Amino acid sequence: EAGFILYPTSYPETGCVTLMKAMSAGALPITSRYQDSTLPELTKTFDLGPQTPLSLDDEVAWKDTYVNSVIDSVAKAFRGDPTIAAKKELMIATSRERFAWRGVARLWADNF
């Protein structure tokens, strides 16, 4: 029932099952878009976090931008902004296809 999943990480991970499950269940991601991780590829256009990815060189200033992204997204959802609902609906359908075994198997078959 959560509307969002907050994921401000600076960890260079190669995947995040928690994020995949949350997106498939309808929680819109608000991430750090950390470029040394899989986040930008994983969340694609569904990420409501700051457009400027987290930079460890300017982490303190970036945190304010992140908090503002969270506040803005929650306020839009609270007001019933139709762009939030539309993004969520498309994300659920896309994620359930993309992260399900059949989607992964098709991707592997096409690329390997």
Side-chain angles (χ1 to χ4, degrees):
E1 302 262 342
F4 304 96
I5 180 167
L6 308 183
Y7 205 81
T9 187
S10 60
Y11 187 75
E13 58 192 314
T14 58
C16 180
V17 173
T18 301
L19 199 51
M20 290 178 211
K21 286 182 175 187
M23 290 172 64
S24 295
L28 287 161
I30 303 176
T31 80
S32 57
R33 298 180 197 259
Y34 187 56
Q35 293 187 349
D36 289 340
S37 74
T38 189
L39 292 178
E41 195 280 326
L42 183 65
T43 60
K44 299 197 180 266
T45 61
F46 302 113
D47 195 337
L48 299 175
Q51 293 300 306
T52 303
L54 169 63
S55 168
L56 298 180
D57 296 332
D58 194 21
E59 189 173 2
V60 173
W62 182 88
K63 286 179 184 178
D64 288 337
T65 305
Y66 182 81
V67 169
N68 288 333
S69 292
V70 172
I71 292 168
D72 183 54
S73 297
V74 171
K76 284 181 179 178
F78 185 73
R79 288 191 308 265
D81 186 321
T83 61
I84 295 288
K87 184 178 281 261
K88 184 175 188 169
E89 185 177 324
L90 179 60
M91 179 193 66
I92 291 170
T94 302
S95 297
R96 288 183 179 173
E97 170 62 25
R98 184 173 166 221
F99 301 139
W101 172 244
R102 68 183 173 276
V104 173
R106 187 177 322 109
L107 178 67
W108 288 359
D110 291 346
N111 288 289
F112 299 108

